[in-house]
Amino acid sequence: MNRSAAAVANAFFLFVGVAGLIIQIASGVPGFPDIPPGPFILGITGILVLTLSARFRWVLFLGIVAPVFILVGALLEGSFRARLADVGDFGPFVGTALLIGGVIAAAVSGVVAVSRAYRRVAAR
């Protein structure tokens, strides 16, 4: 069984979210812990989806849970709105746009990957 295009897209968008977080950290956005968990959560999930989803369909659920977890955290924390509103502060703006866009796209493509993987099984 091969990885689906939706699973590859899910991993790609998880990595986009990681890039966004790294850009935010590098550009000096305040409030990040010394070792921020977000890049590890999204990055490891992306690796797992790419390497294991063809064999273990349940891994695809991680591709939904991880970005939703990060998105809920961003919504609860709330400072991303100000960074998206300030286009002039380029690094934080781009990093935040990549993060939020990446986790939303990852969650959507994760849902598509799960639905396609389990629809194929039900059709057998």
Side-chain angles (χ1 to χ4, degrees), residues 1-2 10 15 19 23-25 30-31 35 42 46 55 63 67 70 80-81 88 90 94 96-97 106-108 115 123:
M1 183 180 207
N2 293 331
N10 178 248
F15 296 139
I23 290 170
Q24 288 183 67
I25 293 165
I35 301 175
L42 295 177
R55 228 173 141 195
I70 298 296
F80 79 94
R81 292 178 189 94
F90 190 71
V94 168
T96 303
V108 170
S115 67

Side-chain angles (χ1 to χ4, degrees), residues 7-21:
V8 173
N10 178 248
F12 171 78
F13 288 119
L14 289 165
F15 296 139
V16 169
V18 171
L21 283 167

Side-chain angles (χ1 to χ4, degrees), residues 5-86:
V8 173
N10 178 248
F12 171 78
F13 288 119
L14 289 165
F15 296 139
V16 169
V18 171
L21 283 167
I22 291 171
I23 290 170
Q24 288 183 67
I25 293 165
S27 62
V29 171
F32 281 96
D34 291 338
I35 301 175
F40 295 103
I41 293 169
L42 295 177
I44 291 170
T45 302
I47 291 167
L48 290 173
V49 168
L50 277 180
T51 58
L52 298 177
S53 65
R55 228 173 141 195
F56 305 106
R57 289 174 304 175
W58 62 266
V59 171
L60 294 170
F61 286 101
L62 297 176
I64 300 169
V65 172
V68 168
F69 177 76
I70 298 296
L71 185 60
V72 168
L75 290 170
L76 291 175
E77 193 270 335
S79 67
F80 79 94
R81 292 178 189 94
R83 288 192 296 278
L84 286 177
D86 188 5

